[in-house]
Amino acid sequence: MLVKVLGLVDLIIGMLLVFLSYFNPPSNVLISFSIIAFAKSSLGMLRDFGSWIDFSAGILLGIAILINIPLALSIIVGLLVLQKGVFSFF
């Protein structure tokens, strides 16, 4: 059950990253999901690829508060997080 909840969080974070350049979410949403992504990456202790994806998503969401993230970078990381979230439901 916890894997599915964390997968749902991955789907939300992935959608935020993919559509980050098309709409400007409030900074408190970006901060909260950045903290969640960092917490998820600490579960893996940065030993596997999935925790590195969460770590990079947390960094991108945190930086997106201050500067505009390049579209290609946010889409690539967003699709990786979305893929991770979809595969957690199987």
Side-chain angles (χ1 to χ4, degrees):
M1 181 68 185
L2 183 63
V3 173
K4 293 187 190 291
V5 172
L6 292 176
L8 182 65
V9 171
D10 278 340
L11 288 175
I12 294 170
I13 290 172
M15 295 300 277
L16 270 173
L17 283 171
V18 168
F19 295 114
L20 190 61
S21 64
Y22 298 114
F23 70 94
N24 192 12
S27 61
N28 58 356
V29 171
L30 292 176
I31 290 172
S32 62
F33 280 108
S34 175
I35 291 171
I36 290 170
F38 281 131
K40 282 176 48 77
S41 71
S42 70
L43 291 175
M45 303 285 184
L46 297 176
R47 291 185 184 157
D48 58 346
F49 186 65
S51 63
W52 279 103
I53 292 173
D54 286 333
F55 186 73
S56 63
I59 288 175
L60 279 180
L61 286 175
I63 290 175
I65 298 168
L66 301 174
I67 62 172
N68 289 332
I69 302 297
L71 179 65
L73 184 64
S74 67
I75 287 178
I76 289 171
V77 174
L79 288 177
L80 286 172
V81 175
L82 274 172
Q83 180 183 10
K84 192 167 124 357
V86 167
F87 284 139
S88 69
F89 286 109
F90 295 114

